[in-house]
Amino acid sequence: MQEYQIIKMNDFSNDQINQIRMLEELCKINDNSSLRVGIESLKEIDGDHAFLCHHEDQLVGFLSWYSSDGMEANINSMVHPQSRRSGVFRELLQRATAEMQMQGIRTCRFRIPSNSESGIDCIRHLGASFNSSEFSMTFKGIEDTKLCVRDINLRLAVEQDLEFMITCLSEAFGDSESWTREYLSHTKESSRITYIAMDRLTPVGMIRVNCLHTNTAIIHDFCVLPAFQGRGYGRGILSKVVKFLQNQEYSPIRLSVVTQNRRALSLYQSIGFDVSAESLYYVIPMDNI
């Protein structure tokens, strides 16, 4: 690695971001994959952590990470096709994991495009195990007349809604309340907006939007209490949020759905979302890296 230079990313200028974007595009074309390394999440405040690898002033490697719960790191990475098999990824990962360990991270979770053979081979060689897969979906637009909105109201969440949010998320997704509480404490950046779905005076669900500085909106933590599921609340909540974001001229509007969740996939497609990519997730304990 003597000819390579690894640095922590601290320059978030358009020039630096464009270099990363160009490397992403080059890797996508070379691998014929749907690679997306989360460029829109690279920002100086509340952004992903990132490391860069240069060779003779050219960006040849990139790795970013963030944690939603303080225990597991979500990782995106790419290496220039001509610099692969030379230790670039391993060195980037070692620099990143040294930082993660100081912050108490226990597990690494890698996102790999399902159509990236080189990425899958690399992560399996590392010893990571397959964990799950999900579709990334992008809103393509639909006639307003098709967005049938149930009589439901969305309001901004306030501090007093925390216990409801913990209950709603944990019951809908099956996570423990203690984990959910920790997760919410790690994802309360100012860029994230949380809406509580109300049927008159009764809270029935919630939905969150991460509004990024590139005018990208990412919908997540969308759920309805199990007792109220199957009554059309989900469609009403999502329809209203999409309309809000359209009115604020956010584009693209994205969300993700676990591949096996066909019911949710059908709902999102009926609202106007199309599958844009499929990602595979591999995990490995920090001690095994």
Side-chain angles (χ1 to χ4, degrees):
M1 288 295 296
Q2 292 181 355
E3 58 185 13
Y4 295 101
Q5 180 187 16
I6 306 285
I7 62 170
K8 177 74 182 285
M9 182 175 177
N10 54 23
D11 174 8
F12 298 89
S13 65
N14 289 336
D15 179 64
Q16 180 66 83
I17 296 296
N18 285 336
Q19 289 184 45
I20 298 171
R21 184 172 286 109
M22 289 171 62
L23 178 60
E24 180 185 62
E25 189 64 22
L26 187 153
C27 292
K28 285 172 63 175
I29 294 172
N30 181 83
D31 301 339
N32 193 27
S33 76
S34 53
L35 176 69
R36 181 169 55 81
V37 296
I39 293 174
E40 66 274 2
S41 298
L42 298 173
K43 49 187 178 178
E44 193 165 5
I45 299 176
D46 293 331
D48 293 356
H49 306 269
F51 289 86
L52 309 175
C53 179
H54 291 90
H55 172 60
E56 296 180 352
D57 295 326
Q58 180 185 9
L59 180 66
V60 298
F62 168 90
L63 185 147
S64 67
W65 73 275
Y66 70 92
S67 178
S68 296
D69 59 6
M71 295 177 287
E72 182 175 74
N74 298 279
I75 298 174
N76 290 301
S77 187
M78 59 182 171
V79 176
H80 192 291
Q82 295 180 359
S83 295
R84 294 172 183 174
R85 300 184 182 277
S86 58
V88 172
F89 171 69
R90 172 65 71 172
E91 186 69 16
L92 283 166
L93 184 59
Q94 289 179 348
R95 289 287 301 272
T97 52
E99 181 179 79
M100 295 174 197
Q101 287 176 324
M102 292 189 293
Q103 299 190 29
I105 299 296
R106 304 174 189 172
T107 306
C108 290
R109 184 172 183 251
F110 300 87
R111 182 174 72 177
I112 312 294
S114 63
N115 51 7
S116 174
E117 293 184 11
S118 61
I120 294 171
D121 288 344
C122 176
I123 214 65
R124 286 177 175 170
H125 182 73
L126 184 67
S129 302
F130 175 77
N131 177 258
S132 62
S133 62
E134 69 178 22
F135 290 126
S136 296
M137 306 189 73
T138 303
F139 184 72
K140 298 299 184 181
I142 195 169
E143 295 293 331
D144 286 348
T145 54
K146 295 183 180 179
L147 290 177
C148 304
V149 179
R150 184 187 172 101
D151 185 18
I152 194 168
N153 180 52
L154 294 183
R155 62 169 176 80
L156 291 174
V158 295
E159 187 176 345
Q160 290 78 6
D161 291 313
L162 177 60
E163 295 305 318
F164 169 77
M165 292 164 60
I166 292 171
T167 298
C168 191
L169 286 168
S170 60
E171 289 189 5
F173 297 133
D175 299 310
S176 68
E177 291 197 356
S178 60
W179 182 90
T180 303
R181 187 182 300 275
E182 192 71 18
Y183 164 74
L184 288 172
S185 73
H186 278 82
T187 58
K188 56 183 181 180
E189 307 97 318
S190 58
S191 63
R192 296 183 196 263
I193 302 172
T194 302
Y195 296 99
I196 304 297
M198 306 289 295
D199 185 346
R200 297 184 181 180
L201 299 178
T202 303
V204 298
M206 62 176 284
I207 190 167
R208 305 177 80 195
V209 181
N210 195 4
C211 300
L212 304 177
H213 64 294
T214 54
N215 282 340
T216 298
I218 300 177
I219 296 172
H220 62 108
D221 293 343
F222 167 36
C223 57
V224 175
L225 281 171
F228 293 95
Q229 292 176 6
R231 306 185 194 180
Y233 287 110
R235 183 176 178 81
I237 294 168
L238 185 57
S239 298
K240 278 204 166 184
V241 165
V242 167
K243 283 189 172 183
F244 288 166
L245 296 173
Q246 282 184 298
N247 291 338
Q248 296 173 54
E249 299 184 349
Y250 276 98
S251 180
I253 301 171
R254 297 204 307 256
L255 54 74
S256 297
V257 57
V258 176
T259 306
Q260 292 81 3
N261 193 345
R262 297 293 168 175
R263 182 177 177 183
L265 179 63
S266 297
L267 168 63
Y268 302 154
Q269 289 174 324
S270 72
I271 297 294
F273 286 87
D274 285 347
V275 173
S276 54
E278 182 180 15
S279 298
L280 308 180
Y281 289 89
Y282 287 79
V283 297
I284 186 170
M286 181 70 72
D287 293 342
N288 292 353
I289 296 178

